[in-house]
């Protein structure tokens, strides 16, 4: 009996000790003595959250220690970095240095994409959905957060041992929302960068983060000012910073957009008010008086306006904050002396691509010291393959050995995509409306093969199918068989006078073999067999069927950052084409094409220039193979394809002015000066025989493709008003 009582008492004692250990405050730990434990709460609010930096500047100036931090959304981002040891001055420098528009743009820079992905731009199929088991799969969000999470991981790994919560100098919690239940989720384990990213996952803007069975989104939906979280961590005094957007009055809600905004703000206010009501007399609530028109993406106003407003708000509470100033109380923050040694690399591949392909593209070797630059470059190379949602990394430990885990997450729409776009063109005399539909199947094999079909329905019907087959793990060599059918109506001229129109129908097959040099240049060779049917819309026009067969070689270098609205880079090509009877051609001829385009930008002004020389070496190409000019940027005073001949030579200089200082609004006005002509005899080519043209235009990079509206004037009183949506040239 006495033994049983003794065992029972030991069990109770152990339970009490375990309970005591479990409930011991994390806020400041054992280092905090003879003063209250101070918890900092940073609320969400997009760019408005930059005001937190101003508050932290004042806390540092006054010597107010921070023993634990909880944050939501942008508050989680600022709070996590501060908890990792980043000072207020470093936070301000990060905000000044970071290009926030680029940080939230997940697209790999065009000049860094493989040739196949750069080629996608020319297809003008800007929108896509996934198709799986007969169900349409929409994107999870506009942005995946690829770049911002990589930047957060970099900053954390430079200040902590492994970028996890347990290695933070200041205890920290990030708050997210479980999308399935609506409940607040306090993140306290694993990768801090991942937790920050989850906390700021604004629905429909950022893709949600999967955490086991949970789907996590922006914590502002459930707990935008997590005062209760720092209390649970053991904080005895709360300093809370609320930067939520204030509610609008009834007079301001005169549009559906403002009504939707108000609903969003109401949701945040409803979960914030109970948190504020829980504050005691010893706690401090700081509410920066930020401009009502300050939007969640106005990061360009951070340094000059938002951060100073946060500092002013903290200054208003200076007397109360001084009561908690303990300049010598905060323990020094420790920084890792050198990058940790990593012994292994673990790939968590959730995509359809092979592990071998991804590891080869990643190019990270172990064992060795952590090389963040190499990791980021490798992650960018993998992400550039396209059709992936995110590629992210984190440090991990297995049996006391440090390694790297790289996770590759597929686009939720993959591997089958339905793509669509519009191609509209209009000028003085003719309009054309075409709907473009594309079907793309990716990851057909371990090397990333894909096949595509494109149909164009409208004034210029067309159909094309192709299969793209990489031949090696580096993606350097490829084979592309294809087939196409198209019908066009083109004007026919004689002595610069329009005499008729022709319907040209062409169908054929092509086989191309290519090799990619780096990410900017590709050499390719191919053969093509086709048949052209020329039908006249004028009784006097000769008609007929022409068989064609040709081989070609081309070298192309393309480093443009945007193919339709470039601000930097070059695009140059050399092409030789030979039509021969051995391949079934009715006409033998040779053609040589040289093209160069360049762009350079300073501030909002972009200068661009180009030169084109297209020559038929024997002056004997049939009608359907002659070069055509006219239309925007190809002698703009003339209608599209209004000029035709065996030779076409032209030079262009232009300027474009971006209308907004921010790149969020991609609209511009511009103009071009062009000089050139078409000729039927090579001996007739002459500089003095050129035609001067100019254009003035408005351009907008719309979600449906590039939009151009403008006016062109050509020598000889030729003029054209043009509009195009989709590929303009």
């Amino acid at each position: 009996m006495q033994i049983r009582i003794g065992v029972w008492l030991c069990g109770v004692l152990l339970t009490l000790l375990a309970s005591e250990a479990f409930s011991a405050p994390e806020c400041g730990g054992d280092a905090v003595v003879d003063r209250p434990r101070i918890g900092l709460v940073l609320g969400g609010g997009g760019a408005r959250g930059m005001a937190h930096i101003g508050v932290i500047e004042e806390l540092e100036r006054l010597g107010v220690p921070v023993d634990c931090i909880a944050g939501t959304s942008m508050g989680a981002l600022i709070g996590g970095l501060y908890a990792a040891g980043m000072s207020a001055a470093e936070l301000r420098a990060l905000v000044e240095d970071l290009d926030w528009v680029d940080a939230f743009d997940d697209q790999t820079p065009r000049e860094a994409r493989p040739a196949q992905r750069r080629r996608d731009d020319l297809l003008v199929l800007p929108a896509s959905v996934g198709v799986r088991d007969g169900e349409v799969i929409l994107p999870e969000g506009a942005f995946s957060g690829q770049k911002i999470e990589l930047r957060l991981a970099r900053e954390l790994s430079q200040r902590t041992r492994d970028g996890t919560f347990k290695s933070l100098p200041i205890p920290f919690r990030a708050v997210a929302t479980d999308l399935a239940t609506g409940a607040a989720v306090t993140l306290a384990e694993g990768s801090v960068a991942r937790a920050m990213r989850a906390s700021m996952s604004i629905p429909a803007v950022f893709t949600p983060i999967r955490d086991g069975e949970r789907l996590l989104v922006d914590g502002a939906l459930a707990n935008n000012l997590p005062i209760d979280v720092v209390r649970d961590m053991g904080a005895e005094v709360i300093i809370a910073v609320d930067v939520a957007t204030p509610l609008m009055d009834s007079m301001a809600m005169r549009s559906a957009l403002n009504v939707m905004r108000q609903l969003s703000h109401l949701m945040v206010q409803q979960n914030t008010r109970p948190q504020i009501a829980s504050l005691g007399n010893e706690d401090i609530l700081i509410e920066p008086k930020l401009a009502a028109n300050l939007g969640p993406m106005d990061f360009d106003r951070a340094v000059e306006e938002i951060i100073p407003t946060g500092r002013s708000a903290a200054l208003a509470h200076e007397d109360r904050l001084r009561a908690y100033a303990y300049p010598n109380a905060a323990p020094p923050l420790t920084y890792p002396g050198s990058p940790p040694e990593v012994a292994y690399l673990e790939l968590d591949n959730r995509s359809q691509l092979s592990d071998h392909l991804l590891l080869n593209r990643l190019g990270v070797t172990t064992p060795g010291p952590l090389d963040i630059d190499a990791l980021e470059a490798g992650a960018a190379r993998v992400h550039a393959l396209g059709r992936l949602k995110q590629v992210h990394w984190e440090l991990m430990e297995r049996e006391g050995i440090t390694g790297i885990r790289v996770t590759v997450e597929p686009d939720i729409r993959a591997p089958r995509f339905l793509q669509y776009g519009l191609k509209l063109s209009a000028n003085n005399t003719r309009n054309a409306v075409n709907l473009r539909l594309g079907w793309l199947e990716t990851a057909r094999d371990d090397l990333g093969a894909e096949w595509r079909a494109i149909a164009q329905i409208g004034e210029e019907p067309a159909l094309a199918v192709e299969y793209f087959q990489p031949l090696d793990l580096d993606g350097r060599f490829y084979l592309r068989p294809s087939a196409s059918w198209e019908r066009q109506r083109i004007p026919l001229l004689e002595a610069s006078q329009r005499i008729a129109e022709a319907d040209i129908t062409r169908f054929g097959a092509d086989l191309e073999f290519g090799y990619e040099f780096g990410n900017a240049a590709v050499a390719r060779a191919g053969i093509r067999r086709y048949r052209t049917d020329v039908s006249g819309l004028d009784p006097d026009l000769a008609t007929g069927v022409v068989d064609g067969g040709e081989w070609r070689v081309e070298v192309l270098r393309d480093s443009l950052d945007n193919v339709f609205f470039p601000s930097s880079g070059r695009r140059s090509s050399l092409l030789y084409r030979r039509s021969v009877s051995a391949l079934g051609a009715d006409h033998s001829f040779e053609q040589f094409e040289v093209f160069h385009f360049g762009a350079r930008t300073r501030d909002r002004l972009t200068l661009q220039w180009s030169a084109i020389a297209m020559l038929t070496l024997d002056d004997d190409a049939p009608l359907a193979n002659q070069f055509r000019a006219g239309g925007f940027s190809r002698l703009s005073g003339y209608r599209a394809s209004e000029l035709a001949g065996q030779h076409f030579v032209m030079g262009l200089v232009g300027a474009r002015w971006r209308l907004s200082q921010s790149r969020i609004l991609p609209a511009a006005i511009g103009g071009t000066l062009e000089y050139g002509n078409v000729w039927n005899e090579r001996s007739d080519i002459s500089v003095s025989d050129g035609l001067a043209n100019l254009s003035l235009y408005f351009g907008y990079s719309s979600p449906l493709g590039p939009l151009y509206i403008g006016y062109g004037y050509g020598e000889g009183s030729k003029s054209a008003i043009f509009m195009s949506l989709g590929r303009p040239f």
Side-chain angles (χ1 to χ4, degrees), residues 642-664:
E642 186 174 344
L643 304 175
Q646 301 285 341
H647 312 279
F648 171 43
V649 179
M650 190 198 80
L652 174 149
V653 292
R656 186 177 73 247
W657 180 262
R658 195 172 71 244
L659 293 177
S660 172
Q661 186 69 36
S662 171
R663 289 181 294 145
I664 296 177

Side-chain angles (χ1 to χ4, degrees), residues 12-24:
V12 171
L13 180 61
L14 289 173
T15 301
L16 291 173
L17 289 173
S19 176
E20 181 68 22
F22 180 80
S23 62

Side-chain angles (χ1 to χ4, degrees), residues 479-493:
L479 197 65
R480 181 189 288 117
S482 63
S484 63
W485 172 90
E486 63 179 343
R487 188 173 70 205
Q488 290 182 304
R489 178 172 295 181
I490 63 173
L492 302 177
L493 296 94

Side-chain angles (χ1 to χ4, degrees), residues 347 349-359 361 381-388 408 410 415 442-450 470:
L347 177 66
N349 179 16
R350 305 173 188 176
S351 74
Q352 292 84 10
L353 299 173
S354 74
D355 289 358
H356 290 297
L357 173 63
L358 298 179
L359 288 171
R361 297 282 294 185
R381 285 194 298 270
V382 172
H383 193 259
L385 291 170
R387 322 304 172 191
L388 297 172
V408 178
T442 62
R444 300 284 296 175
D445 65 10
D446 286 352
L447 295 176
E450 55 189 48

Side-chain angles (χ1 to χ4, degrees), residues 185-198:
V185 177
T186 301
L187 301 173
E189 296 180 345
S191 167
V192 179
R194 196 71 176 159
M196 291 176 177
R197 168 66 181 81

Side-chain angles (χ1 to χ4, degrees), residues 72 176-177 179 182 201-203 217-224 264 267-268 271:
T72 296
T177 301
L179 190 58
S201 297
I202 304 171
V217 295
D218 192 352
L221 301 176
N223 191 354
N224 194 53
S264 175
M267 187 180 303
V268 172
N271 68 61

